[in-house]
Amino acid sequence: MAEVGFTLTQLRYFAAAAEQGSMTAASRQLMVSQSAISTAVAQLEKELGVQLLLRHHARGLTLTAAGEEFYRELRSYLVHTTELAEVARSAGQALVGELAVGCFTTLGPFELPRLLAACEAEHPGIRISVVEEEHAALKQALRSGRCELALMYGYDLDDDIDHVRVGVAAPYVLVAKGHRLARRKKVALADLADEPMVLLDLPHSGLYLERLVASTGVEPQIRHRTAGFETVRAMVANGQGWSVLNQRPASDMTYDGAEVVNLEISDPVEPLDVVLASMKGVRLTSRAQAFVRSSVRTTRRSASTERG
């Protein structure tokens, strides 16, 4: 086995330069001189025998192809060196340290708070920070290392992303309180085919909802598109159309004081999985593993309570 001649400091300095895209910004982040960063990266490249960064005069740094691959593996390695030190410092004690968890914007109010509370009750030493984004941005956050886990819907997950199901979100129809179908418990989407629809038009979510309606043979007549969950509810409550959503607020009242009615869909439509996603092939820290276990237990208890 070839002897490794680079140091952990060199790796950390390279990672900071790659993340910041600038030797100057990396030196400010680490509070060391710019020359120290530059020297460490040059020594690392010499030891590896490959160029990792391209230096652009007055335009910062970019990763080479080799640098991108090296940095992708390095992120996981550095996370676990930090964890290794924490294990040594807290041997025999509870889990401690930072954990970044991403969350899809519309899932945040409904799922995330109870998962955070459950994990923090079991592991008070874990300090969880939240990154709220839409679907594509969450996948990028996982790849860049901004978050280790992401709570999101289980659609459009690429081959490099792994996931654990922690819940399901069944689609339902939303109509105004005074709508002609509001007294029903279930409706077929064909019953609404001639009426305008209000679409929750977040990236990926909008396409999913349009396809769901189309799968029942109905071509949606979209009157309004909005990225706001509560805006959809308020528009429906005020007679602007009907909608399909997956998350159900506890109250039928909208922000403006109007009311909506939730109706089950009689058509055979599939519910959405709610998942905790992570990068495939990257070993989760003990903190992330603890959050996954806690989340699975919490959602199972909630499902059992609802059935009971």
Side-chain angles (χ1 to χ4, degrees):
M1 180 181 296
E3 183 178 347
V4 174
F6 54 76
T7 67
L8 182 57
T9 297
Q10 290 170 350
L11 295 176
R12 291 190 184 282
Y13 285 9
F14 163 73
E19 289 166 3
Q20 298 295 321
S22 161
M23 296 287 187
T24 302
S27 70
R28 286 197 297 264
Q29 181 190 53
L30 297 174
M31 292 186 290
V32 299
S33 68
Q34 182 176 336
S35 61
I37 302 286
S38 182
T39 299
V41 172
Q43 290 173 341
L44 177 61
E45 290 177 320
K46 182 178 179 181
E47 176 63 32
L48 294 174
V50 65
Q51 186 173 4
L52 302 173
L53 290 171
L54 294 174
R55 285 79 166 167
H56 307 286
H57 180 65
R59 291 192 294 113
L61 308 167
T62 56
L63 288 163
T64 64
E68 288 183 0
E69 185 174 354
F70 183 72
Y71 176 59
R72 188 164 51 246
E73 297 296 328
L74 177 60
R75 284 201 315 267
S76 176
Y77 172 76
L78 290 178
V79 166
H80 288 288
T81 60
T82 302
E83 185 181 38
L84 182 62
E86 290 172 352
V87 168
R89 285 193 293 265
S90 60
Q93 301 176 15
L95 289 172
V96 297
E98 304 285 343
L99 174 64
V101 177
C103 183
F104 187 63
T105 50
T106 59
L107 275 174
F110 299 98
E111 302 289 343
L112 187 61
R114 64 193 176 96
L115 300 186
L116 293 177
C119 185
E120 289 170 356
E122 294 179 29
H123 307 286
I126 299 178
R127 298 179 297 278
I128 303 173
S129 59
V130 176
V131 178
E132 267 195 294
E133 297 282 4
E134 52 85 18
H135 192 82
L138 279 180
K139 293 192 292 185
Q140 184 56 37
L142 286 171
R143 292 183 179 114
S144 69
R146 284 181 62 209
C147 60
E148 189 174 359
L149 298 170
L151 183 69
M152 56 202 303
Y153 289 119
Y155 56 66
D156 192 35
L157 296 179
D158 302 319
D159 292 340
D160 62 340
I161 294 178
D162 208 348
H163 66 278
V164 174
R165 190 176 76 170
V166 294
V168 292
Y172 64 95
V173 164
L174 193 71
V175 297
K177 184 179 180 181
H179 191 274
R180 62 184 177 84
L181 301 177
R183 292 184 178 276
R184 294 192 187 181
K185 290 186 177 181
K186 292 185 178 183
V187 293
L189 294 186
D191 295 334
L192 296 157
D194 296 329
E195 299 184 27
M197 180 182 181
V198 180
L199 181 70
L200 178 62
D201 198 20
L202 287 165
H204 297 279
S205 293
L207 182 59
Y208 154 75
L209 291 168
E210 286 189 75
R211 286 176 174 172
L212 182 147
V213 174
S215 73
T216 67
V218 173
E219 183 177 350
Q221 300 180 34
I222 299 170
R223 174 184 286 179
H224 297 292
R225 296 175 181 265
T226 174
F229 182 88
E230 281 297 330
T231 305
V232 169
R233 299 179 77 243
M235 283 186 172
V236 169
N238 284 276
Q240 294 299 300
W242 57 279
S243 190
V244 176
L245 296 172
N246 289 83
Q247 296 298 326
R248 302 191 184 209
S251 172
D252 291 331
M253 186 170 290
T254 60
Y255 282 179
D256 64 348
E259 289 186 60
V260 291
V261 176
N262 304 331
L263 305 174
E264 293 182 38
I265 300 174
S266 60
D267 304 283
V269 292
E270 292 294 323
L272 273 179
D273 286 340
V274 178
V275 305
L276 275 171
S278 60
M279 292 307 298
K280 188 172 291 185
V282 175
R283 184 170 65 89
L284 294 177
T285 63
S286 56
R287 299 181 294 279
Q289 293 176 37
F291 186 85
V292 172
R293 290 193 297 269
S294 173
S295 297
V296 170
R297 285 194 297 269
T298 300
T299 52
R300 284 177 179 171
R301 284 196 297 267
S302 297
S304 177
T305 301
E306 290 172 4
R307 288 194 298 267

